[in-house]
């Protein structure tokens, strides 16, 4: 029995691209830094380089979360609320450092500015673990506003 070209083409578009692979380990490498590393006066430059986000080109923006794995995991469960398609918005405010590339050249040398601020985090979860950090500014959700 032959497969219709339309059927095989539609299956191709439904399946996620094989090159997009998010994992809990990748999330930790890119976004977890607790306690906050002491790397000198240029935290973002050092962290982005040490975590491999400056090659082959400079990552434009990345946020490091300075809290325990347990609190971050809680966002995938009862301490997070649904936010858009497959995202979870934290009820808890986290201490984070956001590193943003200075200028518009994504080639080395990568020089970053840092912004340290307490804020909610928005993540995607898979099997109860975070696999993606959604960069951006989001509305604050307080614990008493969240529904279980």
């Amino acid at each position: 029995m032959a497969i219709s070209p339309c059927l095989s083409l539609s299956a191709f578009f439904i399946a996620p691209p094989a090159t997009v692979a998010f994992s809990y380990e990748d999330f930790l490498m890119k976004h977890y830094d607790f306690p906050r590393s002491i790397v000198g006066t240029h935290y973002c430059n050092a962290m982005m380089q040490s975590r491999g986000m400056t090659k082959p080109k400079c990552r434009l923006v990345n946020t490091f979360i300075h809290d325990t794995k347990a609190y971050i995991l809680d966002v995938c469960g009862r301490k997070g609320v649904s936010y858009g398609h497959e995202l979870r918005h934290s009820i808890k405010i986290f201490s984070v450092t956001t590193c943003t590339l200075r200028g518009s050249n994504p080639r080395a040398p990568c020089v970053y500015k840092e912004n340290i601020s307490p804020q909610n985090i928005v993540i995607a979860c898979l099997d109860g673990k975070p696999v993606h950090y959604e960069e951006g500014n989001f509305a604050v959700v307080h614990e008493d506003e969240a529904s279980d």
Side-chain angles (χ1 to χ4, degrees):
M1 179 173 153
I3 297 176
S4 161
C6 292
L7 178 61
S8 61
L9 185 58
S10 66
F12 173 79
F13 285 111
I14 293 171
T19 58
V20 176
F22 297 108
S23 73
Y24 179 57
E25 293 74 23
D26 288 338
F27 177 89
L28 292 176
M29 175 59 82
K30 290 178 183 172
H31 303 292
Y32 178 71
D33 185 37
F34 181 76
R36 189 176 194 267
S37 297
I38 300 169
V39 293
T41 58
H42 301 286
Y43 174 86
C44 282
N45 292 343
M47 290 300 293
M48 296 295 282
Q49 184 173 8
S50 72
R51 300 289 178 97
M53 291 185 272
T54 59
K55 293 185 180 178
K57 63 181 184 176
C58 309
R59 186 175 175 116
L60 299 178
V61 63
N62 190 72
T63 299
F64 293 100
I65 306 167
H66 311 299
D67 214 321
T68 67
K69 290 178 187 176
Y71 280 129
I72 298 168
L73 286 166
D74 276 348
V75 178
C76 292
R78 60 187 177 82
K79 294 293 183 178
V81 294
S82 292
Y83 188 85
H85 183 65
E86 298 181 12
L87 295 174
R88 302 287 293 170
H89 190 286
S90 69
I91 297 168
K92 177 186 179 344
I93 301 291
F94 287 83
S95 173
V96 302
T97 301
T98 301
C99 302
T100 307
L101 184 66
R102 290 183 188 260
S104 59
N105 185 3
R107 300 283 177 213
C110 305
V111 179
Y112 293 90
K113 63 180 177 177
E114 74 179 53
N115 180 26
I116 302 168
S117 65
Q119 64 186 42
N120 297 92
I121 63 172
V122 176
I123 59 177
C125 301
L126 181 63
D127 298 326
K129 294 183 177 177
V131 294
H132 169 72
Y133 185 95
E134 187 73 13
E135 299 286 355
N137 297 318
F138 304 99
V140 175
V141 174
H142 298 283
E143 194 161 0
D144 59 345
E145 296 173 1
S147 60
D148 287 345

